[in-house]
Amino acid sequence: MRLDKFLSDALNIPRAAAKKAVSSGRVTVNGTIIKDSGHHVEEAAVALDGQPVRYQRYCYIMLHKPAGCVCANSDRCDKTVFDLLPPEYRKKDLFVCGRLDKDTTGLVLLTNNGPLAHRLLAPKSNLFKEYLVTLRDPVTEEVVLELQRGVALKDLRCRPAYFEPLSANRGILRISEGKYHQIKRMFAALGNQVTALHRQSIHGLSLDPALPEGACRYLTNDEIISLEKKE
Ligand code: URA
């Protein structure tokens, strides 16, 4: 791969900026300053201003979704999660790994790693997502047991779900599926109503508490590695 492409992909910077960094002597390959953007790099130690640059084939972004925007590529009426991304994050072929409803807030993972997303979302994957659920009515012990047994919906019997109460009508729900409006439908089937829903984590990847609503950031290397291990 060309050195300018390597830098542009790895650092998410425009190709022109990568070329400029190279021609101005800020880039080393295996310790030697290289000023030719077309220099071929393969398994090489590349550094910019002395800082190692790790090549990432794929892009992974965590977004703190606010209420009122939709998890679609485009929408005629509503703002989408993609509209919230700053231009430098708008890589081609990014998609949402596990959609949330328009009124649900919290963690949205965007990636262009199709195989990984496919495995994480596969119906047979037994990986858990955690939601903070607020309900109209208090949650009884019987309801907690019903959730654990697997709630029967019109078209599906849900897998066991685990509810940890935080107060009478709020708690953390862990589910290993992601069917359309699933949590709202589960509680509706049990005679209650979800009044607020917030996703806190996906397969052990937690929403960064420092990210305000509407903000996003790239995943850290450790977060990516831990997610890939869950495949
Ligand atoms: N379950 C729902 O009902 N809505 C969501 O946004 C996510 C899970």
Side-chain angles (χ1 to χ4, degrees):
M1 178 186 300
R2 287 174 58 100
L3 181 55
D4 55 354
K5 174 156 172 48
F6 178 99
L7 289 166
S8 162
D9 283 358
L11 300 170
N12 262 302
I13 56 173
R15 197 77 167 252
K19 282 194 167 95
K20 199 161 166 211
V22 175
S23 62
S24 52
R26 294 168 57 202
V27 178
T28 55
V29 177
N30 295 331
T32 306
I33 292 178
I34 300 291
K35 292 192 170 180
D36 170 16
S37 283
H39 183 88
H40 187 81
V41 283
E42 201 77 55
E43 313 246 325
V46 177
L48 172 68
D49 298 330
Q51 297 299 312
V53 178
R54 183 175 175 264
Y55 182 75
Q56 281 175 0
R57 180 162 168 223
Y58 294 118
C59 173
Y60 306 86
I61 295 166
M62 77 158 65
L63 169 81
H64 186 164
K65 179 188 173 302
C69 75
V70 294
C71 288
N73 286 6
S74 64
D75 194 281
R76 264 190 287 153
C77 306
D78 293 306
K79 205 178 233 197
T80 77
V81 287
F82 293 96
D83 295 325
L84 298 173
L85 300 181
E88 68 271 24
Y89 283 68
R90 287 190 200 162
K91 284 210 147 204
K92 273 198 296 160
D93 59 21
L94 273 181
F95 54 86
V96 174
C97 183
R99 292 174 176 219
L100 292 178
D101 296 339
K102 182 174 166 184
D103 56 353
T104 302
T105 59
L107 175 61
V108 168
L109 175 63
L110 298 137
T111 183
N112 52 6
N113 184 342
L116 174 92
H118 189 73
R119 283 189 289 273
L120 293 181
L121 296 172
K124 66 175 171 19
S125 92
N126 205 23
L127 303 168
F128 280 85
K129 284 152 271 184
E130 281 185 357
Y131 292 83
L132 176 62
V133 191
T134 309
L135 295 136
R136 184 192 56 204
D137 303 322
V139 177
T140 61
E141 274 178 32
E142 180 51 29
V143 162
V144 174
L145 290 174
E146 293 276 358
L147 288 163
Q148 256 176 57
R149 283 196 279 266
V151 177
L153 301 179
K154 213 162 38 171
D155 52 339
L156 131 111
R157 175 167 286 279
C158 300
R159 285 193 197 149
Y162 304 93
F163 187 80
E164 184 196 326
L166 296 174
S167 65
N169 60 348
R170 248 161 89 90
I172 307 290
L173 185 73
R174 299 177 66 236
I175 61 171
S176 62
E177 295 165 300
K179 301 282 187 318
Y180 185 63
H181 293 333
Q182 183 162 349
I183 296 176
K184 291 173 186 160
R185 290 163 66 209
M186 281 161 65
F187 279 100
L190 298 169
N192 207 332
Q193 189 194 330
V194 173
T195 55
L197 194 54
H198 176 84
R199 185 156 64 194
Q200 305 197 138
S201 73
I202 301 174
H203 315 320
L205 171 73
S206 296
L207 179 64
D208 185 339
L211 264 192
E213 277 197 1
C216 64
R217 70 158 170 79
Y218 289 113
L219 296 198
T220 63
N221 286 343
D222 286 349
E223 286 169 338
I224 295 169
I225 290 165
S226 139
L227 213 51
E228 282 170 348
K229 272 198 204 135
K230 306 244 161 54
E231 286 184 54

Short mmCIF file of all heavy atoms in Angstrom, two decimals, residues 164-198:
data_model
loop_
_atom_site.label_atom_id
_atom_site.label_comp_id
_atom_site.label_asym_id
_atom_site.label_seq_id
_atom_site.Cartn_x
_atom_site.Cartn_y
_atom_site.Cartn_z
N GLU A 164 -32.41 -5.88 36.47
CA GLU A 164 -31.87 -5.56 37.81
C GLU A 164 -32.50 -4.23 38.24
O GLU A 164 -32.17 -3.18 37.68
CB GLU A 164 -30.35 -5.41 37.68
CG GLU A 164 -29.62 -5.17 38.97
CD GLU A 164 -28.21 -4.66 38.66
OE1 GLU A 164 -27.61 -5.09 37.65
OE2 GLU A 164 -27.73 -3.80 39.41
N PRO A 165 -33.43 -4.27 39.22
CA PRO A 165 -34.12 -3.04 39.60
C PRO A 165 -33.16 -2.02 40.24
O PRO A 165 -32.27 -2.39 40.99
CB PRO A 165 -35.15 -3.50 40.63
CG PRO A 165 -35.18 -4.98 40.56
CD PRO A 165 -33.87 -5.44 40.00
N LEU A 166 -33.37 -0.75 39.89
CA LEU A 166 -32.61 0.33 40.52
C LEU A 166 -33.53 1.13 41.44
O LEU A 166 -33.11 1.72 42.42
CB LEU A 166 -32.02 1.27 39.47
CG LEU A 166 -30.98 0.67 38.51
CD1 LEU A 166 -30.59 1.68 37.45
CD2 LEU A 166 -29.74 0.22 39.28
N SER A 167 -34.80 1.15 41.07
CA SER A 167 -35.84 1.75 41.92
C SER A 167 -37.14 1.08 41.50
O SER A 167 -37.12 0.15 40.68
CB SER A 167 -35.89 3.26 41.71
OG SER A 167 -36.30 3.53 40.38
N ALA A 168 -38.27 1.55 42.01
CA ALA A 168 -39.53 0.83 41.74
C ALA A 168 -39.80 0.68 40.24
O ALA A 168 -40.20 -0.38 39.78
CB ALA A 168 -40.68 1.57 42.40
N ASN A 169 -39.55 1.74 39.47
CA ASN A 169 -39.90 1.64 38.04
C ASN A 169 -38.72 1.96 37.11
O ASN A 169 -38.92 2.46 36.00
CB ASN A 169 -41.13 2.51 37.71
CG ASN A 169 -40.87 3.96 38.03
OD1 ASN A 169 -39.88 4.27 38.69
ND2 ASN A 169 -41.73 4.84 37.57
N ARG A 170 -37.52 1.66 37.60
CA ARG A 170 -36.33 1.84 36.76
C ARG A 170 -35.39 0.68 37.00
O ARG A 170 -35.27 0.17 38.12
CB ARG A 170 -35.58 3.11 37.19
CG ARG A 170 -35.61 4.23 36.17
CD ARG A 170 -35.28 5.51 36.91
NE ARG A 170 -33.83 5.74 36.92
CZ ARG A 170 -33.20 6.41 35.98
NH1 ARG A 170 -33.86 6.88 34.94
NH2 ARG A 170 -31.91 6.62 36.05
N GLY A 171 -34.70 0.28 35.95
CA GLY A 171 -33.73 -0.79 36.15
C GLY A 171 -32.89 -1.02 34.91
O GLY A 171 -33.11 -0.40 33.86
N ILE A 172 -31.92 -1.93 35.06
CA ILE A 172 -31.06 -2.29 33.94
C ILE A 172 -31.57 -3.61 33.37
O ILE A 172 -31.70 -4.59 34.11
CB ILE A 172 -29.60 -2.50 34.39
CG1 ILE A 172 -29.07 -1.30 35.19
CG2 ILE A 172 -28.70 -2.83 33.20
CD1 ILE A 172 -28.84 -0.07 34.39
N LEU A 173 -31.83 -3.61 32.07
CA LEU A 173 -32.26 -4.84 31.41
C LEU A 173 -31.16 -5.33 30.49
O LEU A 173 -30.62 -4.55 29.70
CB LEU A 173 -33.54 -4.58 30.59
CG LEU A 173 -34.12 -5.84 29.96
CD1 LEU A 173 -34.78 -6.72 31.02
CD2 LEU A 173 -35.13 -5.49 28.87
N ARG A 174 -30.84 -6.63 30.60
CA ARG A 174 -29.82 -7.23 29.72
C ARG A 174 -30.53 -8.19 28.79
O ARG A 174 -31.20 -9.12 29.25
CB ARG A 174 -28.76 -7.96 30.56
CG ARG A 174 -28.02 -7.05 31.52
CD ARG A 174 -27.04 -7.82 32.39
NE ARG A 174 -25.96 -8.38 31.60
CZ ARG A 174 -25.66 -9.67 31.57
NH1 ARG A 174 -26.35 -10.54 32.27
NH2 ARG A 174 -24.66 -10.11 30.84
N ILE A 175 -30.37 -7.94 27.49
CA ILE A 175 -30.99 -8.85 26.51
C ILE A 175 -29.95 -9.26 25.46
O ILE A 175 -29.01 -8.52 25.18
CB ILE A 175 -32.23 -8.25 25.80
CG1 ILE A 175 -31.88 -6.98 25.01
CG2 ILE A 175 -33.36 -8.00 26.75
CD1 ILE A 175 -33.04 -6.51 24.12
N SER A 176 -30.18 -10.43 24.88
CA SER A 176 -29.23 -10.93 23.89
C SER A 176 -29.83 -10.95 22.49
O SER A 176 -29.34 -11.63 21.61
CB SER A 176 -28.74 -12.33 24.27
OG SER A 176 -29.82 -13.22 24.27
N GLU A 177 -30.92 -10.19 22.31
CA GLU A 177 -31.53 -10.10 20.99
C GLU A 177 -31.74 -8.64 20.66
O GLU A 177 -31.55 -7.77 21.51
CB GLU A 177 -32.91 -10.78 20.98
CG GLU A 177 -32.86 -12.25 21.22
CD GLU A 177 -34.23 -12.79 21.56
OE1 GLU A 177 -34.82 -12.37 22.56
OE2 GLU A 177 -34.71 -13.64 20.81
N GLY A 178 -32.19 -8.37 19.45
CA GLY A 178 -32.44 -6.98 19.08
C GLY A 178 -33.53 -6.88 18.04
O GLY A 178 -33.35 -6.31 16.97
N LYS A 179 -34.66 -7.46 18.37
CA LYS A 179 -35.78 -7.40 17.42
C LYS A 179 -36.44 -6.02 17.49
O LYS A 179 -36.29 -5.29 18.46
CB LYS A 179 -36.82 -8.49 17.76
CG LYS A 179 -36.24 -9.89 17.72
CD LYS A 179 -36.12 -10.38 16.31
CE LYS A 179 -35.72 -11.83 16.18
NZ LYS A 179 -34.70 -12.36 17.06
N TYR A 180 -37.23 -5.73 16.46
CA TYR A 180 -37.89 -4.43 16.32
C TYR A 180 -38.69 -4.07 17.59
O TYR A 180 -39.56 -4.84 18.01
CB TYR A 180 -38.80 -4.51 15.09
CG TYR A 180 -39.48 -3.23 14.71
CD1 TYR A 180 -38.75 -2.12 14.33
CD2 TYR A 180 -40.87 -3.15 14.74
CE1 TYR A 180 -39.39 -0.94 13.98
CE2 TYR A 180 -41.52 -1.99 14.38
CZ TYR A 180 -40.77 -0.88 14.01
OH TYR A 180 -41.40 0.28 13.66
N HIS A 181 -38.42 -2.93 18.19
CA HIS A 181 -39.12 -2.45 19.39
C HIS A 181 -39.17 -3.50 20.49
O HIS A 181 -40.15 -3.57 21.25
CB HIS A 181 -40.58 -2.08 19.07
CG HIS A 181 -40.74 -0.89 18.18
ND1 HIS A 181 -39.82 0.14 18.09
CD2 HIS A 181 -41.74 -0.53 17.33
CE1 HIS A 181 -40.25 1.05 17.24
NE2 HIS A 181 -41.39 0.66 16.75
N GLN A 182 -38.15 -4.34 20.57
CA GLN A 182 -38.28 -5.52 21.42
C GLN A 182 -38.59 -5.20 22.89
O GLN A 182 -39.46 -5.81 23.49
CB GLN A 182 -37.01 -6.38 21.33
CG GLN A 182 -37.17 -7.65 22.17
CD GLN A 182 -36.20 -8.72 21.80
OE1 GLN A 182 -35.53 -8.63 20.79
NE2 GLN A 182 -36.12 -9.74 22.64
N ILE A 183 -37.84 -4.28 23.46
CA ILE A 183 -38.02 -4.03 24.90
C ILE A 183 -39.40 -3.42 25.17
O ILE A 183 -40.11 -3.80 26.10
CB ILE A 183 -36.88 -3.16 25.44
CG1 ILE A 183 -35.56 -3.92 25.29
CG2 ILE A 183 -37.13 -2.76 26.88
CD1 ILE A 183 -34.32 -3.16 25.69
N LYS A 184 -39.78 -2.50 24.29
CA LYS A 184 -41.11 -1.89 24.47
C LYS A 184 -42.20 -2.95 24.36
O LYS A 184 -43.17 -2.97 25.12
CB LYS A 184 -41.33 -0.79 23.43
CG LYS A 184 -40.44 0.41 23.67
CD LYS A 184 -40.56 1.39 22.53
CE LYS A 184 -39.56 2.53 22.69
NZ LYS A 184 -39.30 3.24 21.45
N ARG A 185 -42.02 -3.86 23.40
CA ARG A 185 -43.03 -4.91 23.20
C ARG A 185 -43.03 -5.90 24.36
O ARG A 185 -44.09 -6.38 24.79
CB ARG A 185 -42.78 -5.64 21.87
CG ARG A 185 -43.11 -4.75 20.66
CD ARG A 185 -42.48 -5.28 19.39
NE ARG A 185 -43.04 -6.54 18.99
CZ ARG A 185 -42.38 -7.48 18.29
NH1 ARG A 185 -41.12 -7.24 17.92
NH2 ARG A 185 -42.94 -8.59 17.95
N MET A 186 -41.83 -6.19 24.90
CA MET A 186 -41.78 -7.13 26.03
C MET A 186 -42.55 -6.57 27.23
O MET A 186 -43.35 -7.27 27.85
CB MET A 186 -40.32 -7.39 26.43
CG MET A 186 -39.61 -8.37 25.52
SD MET A 186 -37.81 -8.27 25.64
CE MET A 186 -37.49 -8.78 27.27
N PHE A 187 -42.27 -5.31 27.55
CA PHE A 187 -42.96 -4.76 28.73
C PHE A 187 -44.45 -4.54 28.46
O PHE A 187 -45.27 -4.70 29.36
CB PHE A 187 -42.26 -3.47 29.20
CG PHE A 187 -41.04 -3.77 30.04
CD1 PHE A 187 -39.77 -3.71 29.49
CD2 PHE A 187 -41.17 -4.17 31.37
CE1 PHE A 187 -38.64 -4.00 30.26
CE2 PHE A 187 -40.06 -4.47 32.14
CZ PHE A 187 -38.79 -4.39 31.58
N ALA A 188 -44.79 -4.21 27.22
CA ALA A 188 -46.22 -4.05 26.89
C ALA A 188 -46.92 -5.40 27.09
O ALA A 188 -48.03 -5.46 27.63
CB ALA A 188 -46.37 -3.55 25.46
N ALA A 189 -46.26 -6.48 26.68
CA ALA A 189 -46.87 -7.81 26.83
C ALA A 189 -47.05 -8.17 28.31
O ALA A 189 -47.88 -9.00 28.65
CB ALA A 189 -45.99 -8.86 26.14
N LEU A 190 -46.26 -7.51 29.16
CA LEU A 190 -46.37 -7.78 30.60
C LEU A 190 -47.22 -6.73 31.31
O LEU A 190 -47.21 -6.61 32.53
CB LEU A 190 -44.96 -7.84 31.22
CG LEU A 190 -44.05 -8.96 30.68
CD1 LEU A 190 -42.63 -8.78 31.15
CD2 LEU A 190 -44.59 -10.33 31.09
N GLY A 191 -47.91 -5.91 30.51
CA GLY A 191 -48.88 -4.95 31.07
C GLY A 191 -48.25 -3.66 31.55
O GLY A 191 -48.89 -2.91 32.30
N ASN A 192 -47.04 -3.37 31.16
CA ASN A 192 -46.40 -2.12 31.59
C ASN A 192 -46.07 -1.30 30.34
O ASN A 192 -46.35 -1.72 29.22
CB ASN A 192 -45.13 -2.47 32.38
CG ASN A 192 -44.76 -1.39 33.39
OD1 ASN A 192 -45.07 -0.22 33.19
ND2 ASN A 192 -44.09 -1.78 34.47
N GLN A 193 -45.43 -0.15 30.52
CA GLN A 193 -45.07 0.67 29.36
C GLN A 193 -43.72 1.34 29.59
O GLN A 193 -43.47 1.92 30.66
CB GLN A 193 -46.14 1.75 29.15
CG GLN A 193 -45.94 2.51 27.85
CD GLN A 193 -46.78 3.77 27.79
OE1 GLN A 193 -47.86 3.84 28.38
NE2 GLN A 193 -46.28 4.77 27.10
N VAL A 194 -42.85 1.22 28.60
CA VAL A 194 -41.54 1.86 28.68
C VAL A 194 -41.73 3.36 28.44
O VAL A 194 -42.30 3.75 27.42
CB VAL A 194 -40.58 1.26 27.62
CG1 VAL A 194 -39.27 2.04 27.57
CG2 VAL A 194 -40.32 -0.22 27.90
N THR A 195 -41.25 4.18 29.38
CA THR A 195 -41.37 5.63 29.17
C THR A 195 -40.03 6.25 28.77
O THR A 195 -40.01 7.36 28.24
CB THR A 195 -41.91 6.33 30.44
OG1 THR A 195 -41.06 5.99 31.54
CG2 THR A 195 -43.33 5.90 30.75
N ALA A 196 -38.92 5.55 29.03
CA ALA A 196 -37.62 6.03 28.55
C ALA A 196 -36.69 4.83 28.44
O ALA A 196 -36.74 3.89 29.24
CB ALA A 196 -37.03 7.06 29.51
N LEU A 197 -35.84 4.89 27.39
CA LEU A 197 -34.93 3.77 27.13
C LEU A 197 -33.57 4.32 26.71
O LEU A 197 -33.50 5.22 25.86
CB LEU A 197 -35.54 2.94 26.00
CG LEU A 197 -35.00 1.54 25.74
CD1 LEU A 197 -35.03 0.69 27.00
CD2 LEU A 197 -35.83 0.88 24.63
N HIS A 198 -32.54 3.78 27.35
CA HIS A 198 -31.19 4.29 27.10
C HIS A 198 -30.24 3.09 27.02
O HIS A 198 -30.16 2.31 27.97
CB HIS A 198 -30.79 5.21 28.27
CG HIS A 198 -29.39 5.73 28.18
ND1 HIS A 198 -29.06 6.85 27.46
CD2 HIS A 198 -28.24 5.28 28.75
CE1 HIS A 198 -27.76 7.08 27.58
NE2 HIS A 198 -27.24 6.15 28.35
#
